[in-house]
Amino acid sequence: MPAHIKNWSRDDLLLVAIDEGSSVSATFTQNTFCAAPVTVAKEHIASGSVRALLVNAGNANAATGERGIADARACCRAVAASLGIESSEVLPFSTGVIGEHLPLQRLLDAIPQAADRLCSNGWGQAAKAIMTTDTAPKTATRELEVAGERVRIVGIAKGAGMIQPNMATMLAYVATDAAIEQSLLNDWVQEAVAASFNRISVDGDTSTNDACVLIATGASAPPSANPQDDDYARLKAAIIAVHIELAQAIVRDGEGATKFVTVQVTGAASSEEALKVAFEVGESPLVKTALYASDPNWGRLVMAVGNAGIEGLDTGGVNIYLDDVQVVEAGGRAAGYREELGEAVFSKPEFTITVDLGRGDSREHIWTCDFSHDYVTINAEYRT
Amino acid sequence: MPAHIKNWSRDDLLLVAIDEGSSVSATFTQNTFCAAPVTVAKEHIASGSVRALLVNAGNANAATGERGIADARACCRAVAASLGIESSEVLPFSTGVIGEHLPLQRLLDAIPQAADRLCSNGWGQAAKAIMTTDTAPKTATRELEVAGERVRIVGIAKGAGMIQPNMATMLAYVATDAAIEQSLLNDWVQEAVAASFNRISVDGDTSTNDACVLIATGASAPPSANPQDDDYARLKAAIIAVHIELAQAIVRDGEGATKFVTVQVTGAASSEEALKVAFEVGESPLVKTALYASDPNWGRLVMAVGNAGIEGLDTGGVNIYLDDVQVVEAGGRAAGYREELGEAVFSKPEFTITVDLGRGDSREHIWTCDFSHDYVTINAEYRT
């Protein structure tokens, strides 16, 4: 619902009430300057029961000192009063401009109204309320059968800039009506984030505010998932799939992005090494401007691979492919490569760059986007 | 002189003959995919005497495999034949597009002509010959008296993109007619590079080719500098000053740059920590687009400080200044700060951002530039 946090009339406040007995798990930004709501949310989630989430867009309540913490707590108290729960059962989240105080009174006025309007089917509207520079709301859903019961998973996310790994690089909320016990849920949220939000990059900056929350209400009432069951594996896979779909949606909506690119590294000595190379390629401004220009400037790919600082890498063993087109063979230009072939791939809105390091069996992939004039425009004008 | 390496008529080949008995020291790129000429130059400098430098622009001879190495060696042999020296006494350097083979015949044709045209006063012309996307040649000079003799230092450099620390991030050649013994010179080039080229950033990418060479011919024939002398300290300071002036010239000419910004970190627990924070701030695309927009979006500064991953940082002890204007006080907006004050600083073509971490006595600084539309344009169109 609209709390008029900025000078706009759109929805910018989201209140989510969570059924009693649900399991809730979360991961948070690793930025040292974490925002006030992150500090409070971490404290509240550690205390046990979580019954509500409050999310505002337009103001990050970050770098706001003691007053920021007090503001976040005041919001939690208002939610608690409206819903008849404890203030420590509320997790607060904020996203938007850093360094300005929350318009607290507007939030306190809006919270009871939001509580009055709670509905069980508001995910689409919720996805819209948490948007900042996003150009589209981001949702993902799955349905499957677990222990003979129909189980639903729904997720929403926001984020388009300040996107880099090391959790949590945006706001994402995923809920299922399956029953998943707390310790399992804690593991799953880590695993899901590692496979999704920690593999995307828009600009290499990590926000002060971001978080991913996974909720299992158990409302569909199947027996708790059992790690020995095939159902367990399918439920987990579906939850991870929702996270990946949301993460990819963030990259697709990357600020100014015109291309969605998978960077895949194979033949690595370790998974860590593969990810390092993938991020070095996927985050290089020179690679990203070449993607934007549809210019298969593979010299920049090679440069980026070399910058990953992989000890003992034999560059003569490196092969690079643009989709199926081999562009680098044994560290140099591939014999059959012609510029037109590379251009045809780079002109597509989606494609895969594969770097084969030729020194092991590990492989990893990340998702990135190009770096366009619009990225500069969006970020040069964001506050105005 | 023009070797027509690309389809242009400008000078693109530089031959430097070095007097017998000179000391020569160099540092090279740390990119794993280092270029063929870097491999050959490292081999040759290790073998002892250096009598000539050959530099071409327009083609990096990088990611060119065995043929690239053979091409670089062929160029060295041609220089050796023209000057009557050993091929191992020639250091080859290339800068330009990665992944294409050198137009070897054109180079072999041009080298004897370059040898015929050697002159003792060609530094200005030399600085032009090694340019790629540079918009201006970069030179720096100093003169001082050492042991009663007039001593000159002259340096040239090229570089505008693919600029990041970890040596060597461009091509730079500094020469003095002072006498400096080899082991001292080796120390000085490291120290000078650490104070200059390793403190600049344009886009965070490190090139495959870059190098810095320091030459001391001893032609002015003063007694060798003595570490106990005041002259020694002044000579060293002047050499470092030439390196810094060249490094700053590279940032000022950063691709698309409209601003020259010093990022200074004080109150750090260690020099390493101070540099980490300085680079995190100076390389953040979100900070750099804010610089471009003259928007004192200090929330992004705070975000970047938080991303440096400084263990145990008390964000409540962080103060940030834009020149003399305090914008962040104790981790939040400074009490007396008004937006107009920050805007006035950010609108200047040169200014300093100071981050005081408030936890120690170490301080460091780097130089960076903004991230503009033109950066994208230049790098989206470079090969065309």
Side-chain angles (χ1 to χ4, degrees):
Chain A
M1 70 153 280
H4 307 289
I5 289 164
K6 294 184 86 171
N7 183 20
W8 57 24
S9 59
R10 45 161 283 208
D11 283 355
D12 52 12
L13 188 69
L14 168 64
L15 179 61
V16 179
I18 300 173
D19 292 346
E20 199 163 3
S22 297
S23 307
V24 177
S25 191
T27 61
F28 296 95
T29 181
Q30 293 183 357
N31 192 302
T32 317
F33 254 101
C34 76
V38 170
T39 303
V40 173
K42 280 177 171 175
E43 186 186 304
H44 285 184
I45 203 168
S47 77
S49 163
V50 175
R51 295 295 308 283
L53 313 178
L54 180 74
V55 192
N56 74 269
N59 183 311
N61 191 12
T64 44
E66 289 303 317
R67 179 170 152 199
I69 299 276
D71 288 350
R73 291 198 199 285
C75 290
C76 292
R77 280 195 302 273
V79 171
S82 293
L83 298 181
I85 57 178
E86 294 298 318
S87 161
S88 65
E89 293 178 312
V90 183
L91 304 186
F93 303 87
S94 297
T95 177
V97 173
I98 299 172
E100 293 177 9
H101 289 291
L102 280 181
L104 184 61
Q105 197 52 53
R106 269 175 268 165
L107 281 161
L108 297 182
D109 291 346
I111 286 167
Q113 298 174 46
D116 283 345
R117 296 199 206 165
L118 284 172
C119 62
S120 59
N121 239 328
W123 289 102
Q125 211 183 335
K128 280 186 197 151
I130 63 175
M131 287 165 64
T132 51
T133 56
D134 307 63
T135 65
K138 297 165 182 71
T139 61
T141 58
R142 293 289 187 283
E143 273 198 38
L144 70 164
E145 218 155 88
V146 174
E149 293 281 336
R150 205 80 209 142
V151 161
R152 278 154 294 271
I153 306 163
V154 58
I156 63 171
K158 66 85 37 176
M162 276 204 198
I163 296 299
Q164 207 224 13
N166 284 326
M167 197 59 223
T169 51
M170 27 76 268
L171 297 178
Y173 305 94
V174 178
T176 174
D177 54 2
I180 307 172
E181 60 143 303
Q182 187 66 45
S183 71
L184 211 57
L185 199 71
N186 294 348
D187 291 348
W188 287 14
V189 74
Q190 297 299 339
E191 205 171 323
V193 164
S196 59
F197 301 112
N198 280 358
R199 284 164 179 271
I200 62 176
S201 181
V202 169
D203 56 18
D205 279 319
T206 303
S207 149
T208 48
N209 287 57
D210 301 343
C212 178
V213 180
L214 178 56
I215 303 161
T217 66
S220 66
S224 276
N226 176 339
Q228 266 66 56
D229 280 2
D230 181 49
D231 278 358
Y232 166 93
R234 285 171 48 248
L235 176 59
K236 183 173 164 184
I239 287 175
I240 291 177
V242 164
H243 282 78
I244 290 176
E245 191 175 328
L246 292 173
Q248 292 184 341
I250 287 174
V251 177
R252 282 178 214 280
D253 196 21
E255 288 169 350
T258 70
K259 302 224 162 78
F260 177 84
V261 179
T262 303
V263 180
Q264 175 171 267
V265 177
T266 60
S270 67
S271 171
E272 190 196 2
E273 166 178 309
L275 272 179
K276 209 165 164 190
V277 172
F279 275 115
E280 199 70 39
V281 172
E283 295 192 326
S284 158
L286 287 170
V287 170
K288 286 163 83 88
T289 46
L291 295 177
Y292 171 55
S294 301
D295 173 8
N297 190 328
W298 59 271
R300 295 185 185 172
L301 300 177
V302 154
M303 177 270 319
V305 171
N307 273 338
I310 302 304
E311 194 117 5
L313 176 66
D314 171 15
T315 58
V318 174
N319 294 302
I320 301 180
Y321 304 81
L322 314 177
D323 277 351
D324 294 334
V325 176
Q326 181 160 15
V327 58
V328 171
E329 188 176 350
R333 188 189 185 96
Y337 178 68
R338 283 174 301 119
E339 195 79 358
E340 310 85 81
L341 298 174
E343 261 165 30
V345 176
F346 263 51
S347 301
K348 297 198 284 185
E350 296 200 9
F351 54 92
T352 298
I353 298 171
T354 303
V355 177
D356 185 356
L357 298 177
R359 59 192 234 130
D361 295 326
S362 292
R363 57 193 302 151
E364 290 292 346
H365 59 269
I366 64 154
W367 301 287
T368 190
C369 59
D370 58 335
F371 213 159
S372 71
H373 283 288
D374 283 353
Y375 178 86
V376 177
T377 304
I378 290 165
N379 284 297
E381 294 171 4
Y382 179 46
R383 294 206 312 177
T384 59
Chain B
M1 70 153 279
H4 306 289
I5 289 163
K6 294 184 87 172
N7 184 22
W8 55 25
S9 59
R10 48 160 282 204
D11 284 354
D12 53 10
L13 187 69
L14 168 65
L15 179 62
V16 178
I18 300 173
D19 292 346
E20 199 163 3
S22 298
S23 307
V24 178
S25 191
T27 61
F28 296 95
T29 181
Q30 293 183 0
N31 191 302
T32 316
F33 253 100
C34 74
V38 171
T39 304
V40 173
K42 281 179 170 174
E43 188 186 303
H44 285 185
I45 201 167
S47 77
S49 162
V50 175
R51 297 292 311 282
L53 313 178
L54 181 75
V55 192
N56 74 270
N59 183 311
N61 191 12
T64 44
E66 289 303 318
R67 181 170 152 198
I69 299 277
D71 287 350
R73 289 196 200 285
C75 290
C76 292
R77 280 195 302 274
V79 171
S82 292
L83 299 181
I85 57 176
E86 294 297 318
S87 160
S88 66
E89 292 177 310
V90 182
L91 304 187
F93 303 88
S94 298
T95 176
V97 173
I98 299 171
E100 292 179 10
H101 289 293
L102 280 181
L104 184 60
Q105 196 52 52
R106 267 175 269 164
L107 281 161
L108 297 181
D109 291 346
I111 286 168
Q113 298 174 48
D116 284 344
R117 295 198 206 166
L118 284 173
C119 62
S120 58
N121 240 329
W123 288 103
Q125 211 184 335
K128 281 186 198 151
I130 62 175
M131 287 165 64
T132 52
T133 56
D134 306 64
T135 65
K138 297 166 183 72
T139 60
T141 58
R142 291 289 186 282
E143 271 198 40
L144 72 164
E145 219 155 86
V146 174
E149 294 280 338
R150 204 83 208 137
V151 160
R152 279 154 292 271
I153 305 163
V154 57
I156 62 171
K158 65 88 32 176
M162 276 204 198
I163 296 298
Q164 207 225 13
N166 283 324
M167 196 60 221
T169 50
M170 28 75 269
L171 297 179
Y173 305 94
V174 177
T176 175
D177 53 3
I180 306 171
E181 58 141 305
Q182 186 66 47
S183 71
L184 212 55
L185 199 72
N186 294 346
D187 290 348
W188 287 13
V189 73
Q190 297 298 338
E191 206 171 320
V193 164
S196 58
F197 301 113
N198 280 359
R199 283 162 180 273
I200 62 175
S201 181
V202 170
D203 56 16
D205 278 320
T206 302
S207 147
T208 48
N209 286 56
D210 301 341
C212 177
V213 180
L214 177 57
I215 303 162
T217 65
S220 67
S224 276
N226 176 341
Q228 264 66 56
D229 283 0
D230 180 48
D231 280 357
Y232 165 93
R234 288 171 45 248
L235 177 59
K236 183 174 164 183
I239 286 176
I240 291 177
V242 165
H243 282 77
I244 289 177
E245 190 175 328
L246 292 172
Q248 292 184 340
I250 287 174
V251 176
R252 282 177 214 281
D253 196 23
E255 288 169 350
T258 69
K259 301 222 163 78
F260 176 83
V261 179
T262 303
V263 180
Q264 174 171 267
V265 177
T266 60
S270 68
S271 170
E272 190 196 0
E273 167 178 308
L275 272 178
K276 209 166 164 189
V277 172
F279 275 115
E280 199 71 37
V281 172
E283 296 194 324
S284 158
L286 287 170
V287 170
K288 287 162 83 87
T289 46
L291 295 178
Y292 172 55
S294 301
D295 172 9
N297 189 328
W298 60 271
R300 294 186 187 172
L301 300 176
V302 153
M303 175 270 320
V305 172
N307 273 337
I310 303 303
E311 194 117 4
L313 176 66
D314 171 16
T315 58
V318 174
N319 294 302
I320 301 181
Y321 304 80
L322 314 177
D323 278 349
D324 294 333
V325 176
Q326 181 161 17
V327 57
V328 171
E329 188 177 351
R333 187 190 185 96
Y337 178 69
R338 283 175 301 119
E339 194 81 359
E340 312 84 84
L341 298 173
E343 260 165 31
V345 176
F346 264 50
S347 300
K348 297 198 285 186
E350 297 200 8
F351 54 91
T352 298
I353 298 170
T354 302
V355 177
D356 184 356
L357 298 178
R359 59 193 235 129
D361 295 326
S362 293
R363 56 193 304 151
E364 290 291 346
H365 58 269
I366 65 154
W367 301 287
T368 190
C369 59
D370 58 333
F371 213 159
S372 71
H373 283 289
D374 283 354
Y375 178 86
V376 176
T377 303
I378 290 165
N379 284 297
E381 293 171 4
Y382 179 46
R383 293 206 312 178
T384 57

